[in-house]
Amino acid sequence: MKYFVVDRGDEISLKLTEQFHQLAASYGMILSDESPDYVVSIGGDGTMLHAFHRFINRLNDIAFVGIHTGRLGFYADWTPDEIEELARVMNSPAEADHLRIVRYPLVEIAITTKNGETETHVALNEFTLRGIEETLVAQLNINDVTFEMFRGDGICISTPSGSTAYNKALNGGLIHPSIEAIQIAEIASINNRVFRTLGSSMILPKHHHCDIYPHAKRRFLLSIDHLHAQRSDVVSIRCRVSDRKVHFARFRPYPFWSRVQRAFIGDDFNK
Ligand code: NAD
């Protein structure tokens, strides 16, 4: 079995990485940054985003596993003191029955530039388009029909597993990752007697798409998960549910709603 580790680079993550390499060697696992079967992310959700983008071209062949070094993460569900157990179950044929690969939907972002070229990206959490220094003005079409002229700070288009991240801060709904959908949420839209946007977030199914046509004369910031770029060459952006999926290896059940409960409510309330 081939594996790779992506860590956050802090002292705890580096120590755990070293420990995982030793455990892996004792089980005969082979370290490979070219074609790993498993990628272990050690750090937080941000580390998993880095791991995902590092292996973006091999998503079909890789199962990601996350160890969190801080508070419980959405993508990182193993604790540092479970690292030996993790290495054991990864290598135990008897545990293979308990191994479940879950596949989460992604958002595809196709950006058409002024020179007529289209570049395609995928996001694990979300894509955002935001104005820089000034209001973002952008036409939003849904399934090729004009929906609204957006004015405000920006637009966020998230995956179901990303619905608990930036989208949640924008009052978007939480979507179970078994649902193949994308969610459009507004970032501080301007609404008054002159300008009007829907104001609610919208959830599009797999066979729908939306197009954003940003006002050409303005500068904007495009973000795909933790990656940001200032652009002025964009004509339109099409978002849809990607045909690709990310695979997570689950060696024990960890239901999405339990993660939501533990992350946002916890045990200290409602006693
Ligand atoms: P980071 O690692 O500091 O992450 C920011 C926070 O988002 C962390 O607390 C992390 O645990 C949490 N997070 C990331 N993915 C999550 C998910 N799927 N569900 C629940 N929480 C999640 O910073 P980064 O590495 O730059 O991460 C980029 C992410 O930060 C973006 O993808 C975006 O979702 C998130 N973000 C959130 C806000 C906000 O909540 N207001 C604003 C900007 C970015």
Side-chain angles (χ1 to χ4, degrees):
M1 182 199 301
K2 289 188 273 185
Y3 79 102
F4 192 73
V5 179
V6 176
D7 63 60
R8 184 158 48 191
D10 60 305
E11 204 181 323
I12 303 172
S13 305
L14 289 171
K15 262 192 191 159
L16 285 167
T17 300
E18 194 42 51
Q19 191 183 349
F20 191 84
H21 284 318
Q22 284 171 13
L23 287 162
S26 71
Y27 283 108
M29 293 169 79
I30 299 158
L31 181 65
S32 165
D33 64 352
E34 296 263 302
S35 54
D37 305 301
Y38 290 102
V39 171
V40 181
S41 153
I42 302 181
D45 290 324
T47 319
M48 185 61 86
L49 294 176
H50 279 84
F52 170 83
H53 284 280
R54 176 166 180 161
F55 290 99
I56 197 98
N57 295 324
R58 299 203 60 252
L59 293 183
N60 271 345
D61 309 318
I62 289 175
F64 293 89
V65 183
I67 300 173
H68 66 91
T69 53
R71 68 174 180 82
L72 182 81
F74 267 80
Y75 297 120
D77 48 341
W78 287 81
T79 62
D81 55 12
E82 292 173 327
I83 196 165
E84 285 181 21
E85 188 194 346
L86 174 63
R88 183 181 59 77
V89 296
M90 279 175 92
N91 288 282
S92 158
E95 305 276 352
D97 289 351
H98 302 293
L99 172 66
R100 238 185 95 215
I101 302 290
V102 294
R103 294 173 177 80
Y104 282 1
L106 303 168
V107 56
E108 179 187 285
I109 306 112
I111 300 170
T112 302
T113 58
K114 283 177 184 159
N115 62 14
E117 285 171 9
T118 299
E119 52 188 81
T120 305
H121 305 270
V122 285
L124 176 55
N125 269 352
E126 75 285 292
F127 161 74
T128 61
L129 179 69
R130 285 173 284 180
I132 300 173
E133 290 161 3
E134 51 190 350
T135 302
L136 171 75
V137 180
Q139 181 179 318
L140 175 68
N141 288 11
I142 296 179
N143 296 338
D144 306 313
V145 177
T146 304
F147 188 80
E148 66 185 17
M149 183 62 81
F150 178 90
R151 284 179 176 80
D153 282 4
I155 298 171
C156 170
I157 307 206
S158 57
T159 63
S161 62
S163 67
T164 48
Y166 198 177
N167 169 76
K168 185 174 183 298
L170 302 171
N171 277 328
L174 305 193
I175 304 182
H176 194 278
S178 60
I179 298 171
E180 293 187 284
I182 54 170
Q183 179 163 191
I184 309 171
E186 299 181 353
I187 309 174
S189 59
I190 299 173
N191 271 288
N192 52 37
R193 285 190 348 193
V194 184
F195 302 129
R196 177 78 50 231
T197 64
L198 182 67
S200 313
S201 72
M202 283 180 278
I203 296 162
L204 303 191
K206 189 165 185 194
H207 57 290
H208 289 191
H209 63 267
C210 65
D211 293 289
I212 306 169
Y213 297 89
H215 197 291
K217 293 206 178 81
R218 300 188 182 221
R219 292 194 308 138
F220 31 80
L221 182 69
L222 269 114
S223 304
I224 291 171
D225 297 330
H226 59 294
L227 306 164
H228 312 279
Q230 285 190 27
R231 300 282 292 256
S232 53
D233 61 335
V234 175
V235 174
S236 65
I237 301 148
R238 173 165 292 196
C239 294
R240 56 186 282 272
V241 177
S242 173
D243 293 330
R244 303 166 73 194
K245 285 193 172 183
V246 60
H247 303 177
F248 292 105
R250 294 258 187 270
F251 297 97
R252 62 178 178 206
Y254 186 31
F256 177 73
W257 298 119
S258 304
R259 267 176 281 161
V260 171
Q261 200 281 338
R262 286 182 72 176
F264 298 115
I265 309 291
D267 296 332
D268 296 337
F269 294 93
N270 305 324
K271 282 189 174 158

